[in-house]
Every structure is written in structure tokens, then in C-alpha cells.
Amino acid sequence: MPIKIMIVDDSQFMRALLKKILVAEFTVVGEATNGIEAVKMYEKLNPDIVTMDVVMPKMDGITATSHIVKRNPEAKVVMCTSVGQEEKIKKAISAGAKGYVNKPFQAPKVLQEIKSVISA
Amino acid sequence: MEGEVNKLIHFKIMGDKGAERAVESLSMMLDTDVNMNISSVNMVSLITIPDIVGSDEVVSLFSPFMGTVSGSMFCLLSPDSTKKIASVLLGDFDEEESDGMFDEMQQSAAAEIGNIITSSFVDVWADTFGIELSHEPPSFTYDFADAIVDNVLIEASQSGDFVIFFNSTLNVTNMDIDFNILMMPDPESLQKVFDLFENVEPESVTE
């Protein structure tokens, strides 16, 4: 059974970059461009795991994560943060994120973190 | 006068530190050597920007920042430099068809560069002053420099403000990319920044 993954990032470039990294091992079922879209898309698609950007318009990734986790406490969300956003990582973990990867993305680290969250 | 020079020296040191962080992130992202140099820093009136960068069409990557101090930061690049940096980032991604000068993917890639540079500069300010700062993702605009300045003034709801102008060069895979970074704290925040300089130990700016 392929693992379904959803990408959330407002940057088209970052979504494309992540997709390029992920498609080798996972099935990308959806891409959302902000937190509001992410919450709606999560309910509709019920993915196995979500990669979530932090800084986005309309609704940020931390708020979106807390909404998703409130609806499904088992939801697996991996935050995509920039180096130096330690405070945001803490907030994201409090909101229910299960892991994080630093931007700029390095493919092996992204895949390793996602696999580790899936198998946890 | 001496006070003004000291402020510029502080801004230059913080700009250099921001550039160092940006280089670190860009090198990781591009998996290649990246160099960034800030040749000079000046404080100028926003309305003089077209005289400095030329009134031709430019790309602006505009990002408001907020927290203990607030304001806007934007990078100005020539269309040629924008194309170059986008091509480095996009590599073997498929090109999109576009009627305009830049397709959506090129705009997004350029905005990501703006995001990295803005994050690096904002983080240095936050760390140096021990304050909380965050920023919004940059918005991409391609227009004449005069129009860009007008838009910035409208978006920032201010007029006649001073900007801290970092004249910068980026070198990626033997390509020189000229661009300018402009930080425009809100008027009350600019005074706050000067006050913060008074309170910060010199070594925390220089280390």
C-alpha cells in the first residue's frame, strides 16, 4: 500500500522541490498553498503524513497543524522550518507536529525524517 | 556625525552577518559554493531609490517584518539577475510557458531567494538585539523602480521614510548577481533600533 503524503507550502518552487524529493518513495496525493486549504484538504484526502511549511499567508502552519491534530490526534505532521526557527519548532511540536526538517531541504534528511515519523 | 557613522558600521556588521547566514542556507540549497558580499551600507530616503538603482524595470521581493520592531524589507534585482538566480534554482525543472517576462515557477524561485535573505537578516537582528521578529513570505513584483517605490510607500502606509540600503553581490556557479537589500523600519521602530544599539554590547554585534 503506497504511503500517501500531502505537501503544504505557499511557495510553488518549494512544493515542486519537495515533490521531486518525495515521489521516489511516496505518493503525493495533494498540495495546499496555505493553512486553511491544508485543513480542508486533510479532511478530504486523509493522507498518511503531511509536510507543513511554517510561514504562510491566510493561516500559518502551526495553526493549521493544531486544527488538523484536534480533528485527528493520530495525524502525522512534519514541519518544514528555516534554520534559526527553534522557537517555532517548539510551538509546532506543542501544536502536535511529530517531526521537522530544516530548509533548505536536503533530500536524504527529508526522507529520513518522514520515514522515522511514519514508523514511530 | 560620529553617531551616524557608528550606526552605519553597526548596520554593516549586521548586514555581513546576515549575508553569512544567507550564504550558508543558499549553499545547502544549491549544493554549490555561494559567495555574498555587501560592499556598502547607506541610509537614504526611499524616494531616492530609483536614482540609485536606475528607473528601469526591476524585480522587487517585498516582505514585511513584525515583532519588537516592525517594518519592511525588500530585495531589488535586475531582470537579468532574476533570470540567472531562478535558472540556478530551477535546474532541471520543466520550463513553463508564459506570456510574461517571468513564469510562475521563476517568480516562486526568486521569492524563495528573497525568503532566505530576509530570514537571515531578520534573524540576525533578532539575535543581536535579543528581540522577537518574524516576517511574511516575500511578494514578487516586476515593474519600473518608481512604481515599485510608490507601491512600497502605499503598502507601508508611510512617506518619506529612510531605508537602510545594502549594496550586495551574490556569486553562484561563477555567475555574478547584483542586487540591493533594503530594510525600512517603521519610523518609531527606527528610533527603537537606534536605542537598541545603545544597549547592545559591541561584541554582540561583532561576534
Side-chain angles (χ1 to χ4, degrees):
Chain A
M1 190 85 154
I3 291 166
K4 295 185 293 176
I5 194 159
M6 187 177 113
I7 297 170
V8 187
D9 201 306
D10 60 309
S11 159
Q12 186 187 12
F13 168 70
M14 295 310 286
R15 291 197 308 275
L17 189 63
L18 256 182
K19 194 171 178 180
K20 196 176 170 187
I21 294 170
L22 297 171
V23 287
E25 306 207 22
F26 308 105
T27 303
V28 177
V29 289
E31 296 176 36
T33 60
N34 62 60
I36 294 173
E37 229 179 85
V39 175
K40 286 181 187 163
M41 197 178 278
Y42 184 88
E43 290 198 347
K44 196 174 156 195
L45 301 175
N46 194 26
D48 298 303
I49 189 159
V50 179
T51 64
M52 180 77 77
D53 185 24
V54 177
V55 182
M56 290 184 292
K58 295 184 185 174
M59 182 191 282
D60 65 60
I62 296 172
T63 310
T65 299
S66 71
H67 282 295
I68 288 172
V69 172
K70 219 175 267 176
R71 285 165 171 78
N72 175 12
E74 302 301 315
K76 292 180 172 177
V77 179
V78 173
M79 302 305 294
C80 301
T81 63
S82 300
V83 174
Q85 290 187 326
E86 286 75 15
E87 279 307 310
K88 284 182 177 152
I89 294 169
K90 283 182 200 163
K91 283 181 188 166
I93 300 292
S94 301
K98 303 290 192 291
Y100 70 93
V101 288
N102 276 326
K103 288 183 189 177
F105 298 127
Q106 290 174 297
K109 286 191 179 173
V110 172
L111 293 171
Q112 186 189 351
E113 180 67 5
I114 287 174
K115 283 177 191 168
S116 133
V117 169
I118 287 169
S119 59
Chain B
M1 185 65 186
E2 193 186 330
E4 294 301 311
V5 172
N6 281 341
K7 283 166 194 161
L8 285 178
I9 291 170
H10 279 161
F11 283 133
K12 172 76 166 68
I13 292 165
M14 288 166 74
D16 288 341
K17 287 170 78 175
E20 261 174 47
R21 289 198 190 190
V23 162
E24 199 181 316
S25 295
L26 290 169
S27 303
M28 273 168 67
M29 177 186 257
L30 302 170
D31 198 22
T32 185
D33 285 341
V34 176
N35 289 300
M36 185 170 162
N37 178 48
I38 294 181
S39 56
S40 63
V41 180
N42 287 297
M43 283 187 69
V44 297
S45 170
L46 181 62
I47 54 170
T48 65
I49 295 300
D51 298 332
I52 299 170
V53 301
S55 53
D56 291 344
E57 286 163 311
V58 291
V59 167
S60 158
L61 307 167
F62 178 86
S63 178
F65 62 88
M66 60 288 295
T68 311
V69 294
S70 57
S72 319
M73 180 164 169
F74 53 110
C75 302
L76 293 179
L77 298 96
S78 69
D80 185 46
S81 287
T82 308
K83 291 261 184 196
K84 279 186 199 169
I85 195 70
S87 73
V88 174
L89 252 72
L90 294 172
D92 57 355
F93 280 113
D94 293 336
E95 278 188 32
E96 292 176 6
E97 282 193 22
S98 169
D99 298 333
M101 179 77 174
F102 301 99
D103 63 35
E104 277 189 37
M105 195 62 119
Q106 286 173 321
Q107 293 184 29
S108 183
E112 196 49 43
I113 294 290
N115 200 27
I116 286 172
I117 292 170
T118 304
S119 293
S120 304
F121 274 63
V122 163
D123 287 349
V124 165
W125 280 41
D127 292 350
T128 303
F129 295 138
I131 57 176
E132 287 221 359
L133 280 183
S134 60
H135 71 92
E136 289 182 10
S139 56
F140 180 104
T141 312
Y142 173 55
D143 209 335
F144 289 99
D146 296 322
I148 300 251
V149 166
D150 284 347
N151 281 336
V152 168
L153 286 170
I154 292 165
E155 286 200 45
S157 308
Q158 294 156 33
S159 60
D161 290 309
F162 280 94
V163 292
I164 306 150
F165 185 90
F166 299 88
N167 194 334
S168 319
T169 316
L170 196 63
N171 182 281
V172 188
T173 58
N174 295 325
M175 280 195 284
D176 282 327
I177 294 151
D178 293 319
F179 68 108
N180 298 295
I181 301 167
L182 295 90
M183 285 189 95
M184 189 173 67
D186 295 340
E188 64 276 18
S189 290
L190 188 60
Q191 186 54 52
K192 217 182 267 184
V193 170
F194 293 155
D195 294 343
L196 286 164
F197 274 143
E198 298 296 322
N199 299 328
V200 80
E201 293 294 324
E203 58 266 29
S204 63
V205 178
T206 53
E207 78 188 4

